[in-house]
Amino acid sequence: MYFLKAALLGIRRRLLSSLLLVVGSSSILLAMAAIGLWSNWLLQQNENMKAHRSVAIFVDSRNDSDVEDVLTKIMQVKGVDSARIISTEEFQSFLSQHFPDLAAAVDGLGLDIIPRSLEVFFSKDIHYFERLETVRTLEGLSGVQRVDDGMDRMASALTSIRWLGLGGYFLLFSLYGVFLFVCVGHYQNLLYSEAQELSLVRSFGATKFMIVLPWIFEGFFQSVAVGLVVGVSLLGGKTYLLEVYNQFFGTVGYDPFHFEFTNLLLIIFASMILSFLAHLFSSGLALLRWRLH
Amino acid sequence: MRVSLKQVTKAYHQNSLVLKNLNLDLAEGGFLFVAGDSGAGKTSLLKLIVGEEFPTSGTVTCGGIRLIEGAGSSLQIRKRIGVVHQDYRLMKERTVFENVAIPLFFGRHGRSTKPLNFMGSAALRLTEEVLQSLGLSTKLLDAKVKELSGGEQQRIAIARALINKPDLLVADEPTGSLDHDHTWTVMDLFQKLNIQGMTVIVATHDRDIIRKVRKPTLHLSAGSVRVDERDGACIF
């Protein structure tokens, strides 16, 4: 009871610095949550792109039975999940949509000029090198004129996304380092400002644990406040920013950014835990560095 | 609690020798005055006895336990010692009750090995009792220490040192801010507690008190020692 009262008294006495610490901590943890979510989403996009990637295969014959024959052979290749024949009308429509400037010219093409093609999807758990091997096998099939792999373009896009995502995680850890630094500074100041009272308590036989316990309670209360501030801020962000964000990224073909309620609870809980761990570490470190008699 | 110092030397800097080869053996239940001019080393000696400072050389033993820096046993001994600091060392933003009762929580009460419930009625009762024994009103319990006079603050510091019925009381100038009547209320209380078995060490430069109480006195002067032994309780 004494420790609890001492903690509450401490917060009241240092109300301004406590508030500043909560605001500062919340800002850092909020940034961490946003970066973490974004990095996670980017890496998920990376995985999705890999999993759903397909290749186009052009067949050297225009005969339906030949195309069917190639399809049968393709389905037997290891690493292929599914394949479908692309009709010439669909191909023409695709060209018109993606190259609107050439729409008139494309419309003028006769259907007999357009090559017959198939779209092949890989298995979801396929490895990068396995996919390369599968592409080589597809290229060697009789009746296959050309495999439009686009590997180089895709590989560079995937690498960029992966580095962005990993960079986000690095930033996340760096921010936590900053947060720890702020916390250590806070407890160092606390130690100097309350040195006399701590010496006094020590002179009554208080152990180091007894001295640090009110700080631990104080850190707990502040961590709860930090978690709530982060939660409210994220909820606000979800309400006002998510739609705008998805509108933008939706136009460039990314999956929508989903932010579930369970994720929100998880982030609030994680913020509290991370904040509390920082308080524990910092208060313990401050006390260890202080030479107590 | 028996207090022994053997060949104790204390120097804060190379050229500032405060105590030199001091030997002291105060038996359990003894009473000792430590006298001397300002800067003679009275406070340093008391700090060595309570384990707030440690000797440059020599040994300090309290209750049969040698005080060693950082040792857990030194921490245990502190729970059995009541200290009145010269500068009171009160928590001025806190109430009288919080200041006086705090050793009950961190330390112990009398022979009990367990701390008292700080918020319990027993702590309140003990606080009221010790305040009354020092001539302080129990109405002050909820007052903040910073609102009290110097004399009241000094008696609050004494009350805090006495509340857990320590085996050893170490008081540094405990009557410096008190008027004549309150000075003798405090000294009478110290003598009464000493008769009940508490070992008492009082640092003072008030010759009137030393003359009237008639207890062994250790005179410190620039590191040297002169002993005025009156009742044999103290052996040097």
Side-chain angles (χ1 to χ4, degrees):
Chain A
M1 194 65 185
Y2 165 80
F3 295 124
L4 202 61
K5 199 176 175 192
L8 292 172
L9 197 71
I11 291 175
R12 206 178 70 190
R13 276 206 331 245
R14 299 181 295 274
L15 193 60
L16 187 65
S17 67
S18 296
L19 276 175
L20 281 174
L21 188 65
V22 167
V23 171
S25 309
S26 306
S27 308
I28 292 173
L29 286 167
L30 187 64
M32 282 174 67
I35 290 169
L37 281 169
W38 186 67
S39 299
N40 195 40
W41 178 75
L42 273 180
L43 292 178
Q44 209 171 30
Q45 293 307 303
N46 193 4
E47 291 304 312
N48 286 348
M49 284 174 82
K50 274 189 204 168
H52 296 115
R53 249 203 82 221
S54 61
V55 294
I57 289 182
F58 295 91
V59 183
D60 58 6
S61 166
R62 298 197 48 74
N63 189 309
D64 282 348
S65 64
D66 290 343
V67 177
E68 291 281 350
D69 190 37
V70 171
L71 177 65
T72 310
K73 286 182 203 161
I74 286 170
M75 287 305 293
Q76 287 166 359
V77 173
K78 190 187 167 197
V80 170
D81 182 61
S82 60
R84 69 183 186 93
I85 297 167
I86 298 170
S87 67
T88 45
E89 290 83 358
E90 189 185 347
F91 192 86
Q92 194 175 30
S93 155
F94 177 85
L95 284 177
S96 303
Q97 274 178 12
H98 287 81
F99 302 98
D101 297 345
L102 303 171
V106 170
D107 287 342
L109 291 172
L111 288 178
D112 53 339
I113 292 175
I114 294 172
R116 299 302 304 272
S117 59
L118 297 103
E119 189 176 20
V120 177
F121 297 90
F122 296 110
S123 307
K124 280 191 175 177
D125 54 348
I126 195 166
H127 189 267
Y128 178 81
F129 294 106
E130 287 171 345
R131 195 174 60 224
L132 273 181
E133 187 58 36
T134 307
V135 169
R136 299 286 166 264
T137 311
L138 292 172
E139 283 173 340
L141 290 176
S142 63
V144 171
Q145 188 183 51
R146 188 165 64 86
V147 177
D148 187 5
D149 184 16
M151 281 298 281
D152 295 342
R153 294 194 307 276
M154 192 55 76
S156 65
L158 289 175
T159 306
S160 305
I161 288 174
R162 196 174 66 234
W163 278 113
L164 262 177
L166 292 176
Y169 281 133
F170 175 75
L171 200 62
L172 201 129
F173 283 109
S174 305
L175 277 174
Y176 194 62
V178 171
F179 180 37
L180 275 179
F181 187 74
V182 169
C183 262
V184 167
H186 169 76
Y187 283 103
Q188 209 64 44
N189 285 339
L190 206 61
L191 207 61
Y192 286 123
S193 63
E194 302 202 345
Q196 196 186 355
E197 189 169 324
L198 296 180
S199 299
L200 184 73
V201 168
R202 184 73 169 168
S203 74
F204 300 138
T207 60
K208 284 185 177 183
F209 180 68
M210 284 173 162
I211 289 175
V212 89
L213 202 54
W215 292 357
I216 292 176
F217 277 119
E218 209 174 315
F220 175 76
F221 292 135
Q222 290 190 350
S223 299
V224 170
V226 163
L228 292 176
V229 172
V230 167
V232 169
S233 307
L234 280 177
L235 205 63
K238 182 185 160 139
T239 311
Y240 298 106
L241 296 177
L242 200 62
E243 201 179 334
V244 179
Y245 185 87
N246 280 337
Q247 272 172 3
F248 173 73
F249 276 96
T251 57
V252 289
Y254 284 84
D255 292 340
F257 194 111
H258 290 297
F259 188 38
E260 307 296 336
F261 185 69
T262 47
N263 281 350
L264 180 72
L265 287 181
L266 204 69
I267 287 172
I268 292 174
F269 191 64
S271 301
M272 286 179 188
I273 296 280
L274 285 173
S275 168
F276 187 57
L277 284 176
H279 279 279
L280 268 184
F281 171 78
S282 310
S283 55
L285 185 73
L287 207 64
L288 278 176
R289 287 173 65 182
W290 192 42
R291 203 159 160 262
L292 281 170
H293 288 307
Chain B
M1 182 188 284
R2 184 174 185 156
V3 179
S4 289
L5 280 79
K6 284 184 185 165
Q7 292 292 312
V8 167
T9 296
K10 179 67 183 175
Y12 289 99
H13 310 289
Q14 237 174 358
N15 297 321
S16 68
L17 200 63
V18 182
L19 298 168
K20 190 181 174 185
N21 295 330
L22 177 66
N23 288 298
L24 165 69
D25 192 358
L26 180 62
E28 189 169 340
F31 195 120
L32 177 72
F33 280 118
V34 179
D37 296 332
S38 296
K42 301 190 295 289
T43 300
S44 293
L45 173 62
L46 299 192
K47 282 182 174 178
L48 288 171
I49 291 170
V50 303
E52 200 175 311
E53 296 279 353
F54 293 89
T56 309
S57 65
T59 60
V60 179
T61 310
C62 284
I65 295 170
R66 187 178 162 187
L67 301 184
I68 299 169
E69 194 166 7
S73 53
S74 302
L75 214 56
Q76 289 305 314
I77 279 293
R78 286 182 191 178
K79 294 179 181 179
R80 297 168 58 194
I81 303 175
V83 186
V84 182
H85 297 279
Q86 195 174 15
D87 56 358
Y88 317 156
R89 293 200 196 169
L90 295 169
M91 298 178 283
K92 298 201 171 173
E93 293 294 326
R94 302 209 188 182
T95 65
V96 168
F97 171 72
E98 285 170 334
N99 269 277
V100 175
I102 198 168
L104 293 174
F105 186 79
F106 289 110
R108 54 163 214 162
H109 179 248
R111 298 285 169 193
S112 163
T113 52
K114 286 183 180 173
L116 271 180
N117 179 4
F118 183 69
M119 298 299 169
S121 59
L124 187 64
R125 182 177 51 79
L126 285 167
T127 309
E128 286 175 346
E129 279 176 14
V130 75
L131 288 182
Q132 283 167 343
S133 70
L134 288 160
L136 287 163
S137 167
T138 53
K139 287 178 185 170
L140 294 176
L141 276 170
D142 293 324
K144 284 197 175 172
V145 164
K146 67 178 179 184
E147 295 162 358
L148 306 180
S149 70
E152 285 171 326
Q153 287 188 17
Q154 187 153 37
R155 280 182 287 160
I156 297 294
I158 295 168
R160 186 182 60 191
L162 295 176
I163 193 164
N164 61 348
K165 293 189 170 35
D167 297 332
L168 169 66
L169 174 69
V170 177
D172 194 358
E173 303 282 3
T175 57
S177 299
L178 302 183
D179 58 33
H180 180 269
D181 287 350
H182 286 129
T183 294
W184 285 103
T185 301
V186 169
M187 289 315 300
D188 289 345
L189 181 63
F190 284 2
Q191 288 182 84
K192 188 178 145 195
L193 292 169
N194 178 236
I195 289 166
Q196 289 170 2
M198 188 185 290
T199 309
V200 180
I201 300 174
V202 178
T204 183
H205 56 251
D206 190 331
R207 292 169 195 272
D208 191 38
I209 291 175
I210 295 172
R211 197 175 62 247
K212 285 182 179 168
V213 174
R214 298 186 62 79
K215 294 285 183 185
T217 306
L218 181 74
H219 293 273
L220 292 174
S221 176
S224 67
V225 176
R226 181 172 61 82
V227 180
D228 180 5
E229 200 172 335
R230 289 173 195 264
D231 64 359
C234 194
I235 305 157
F236 300 98

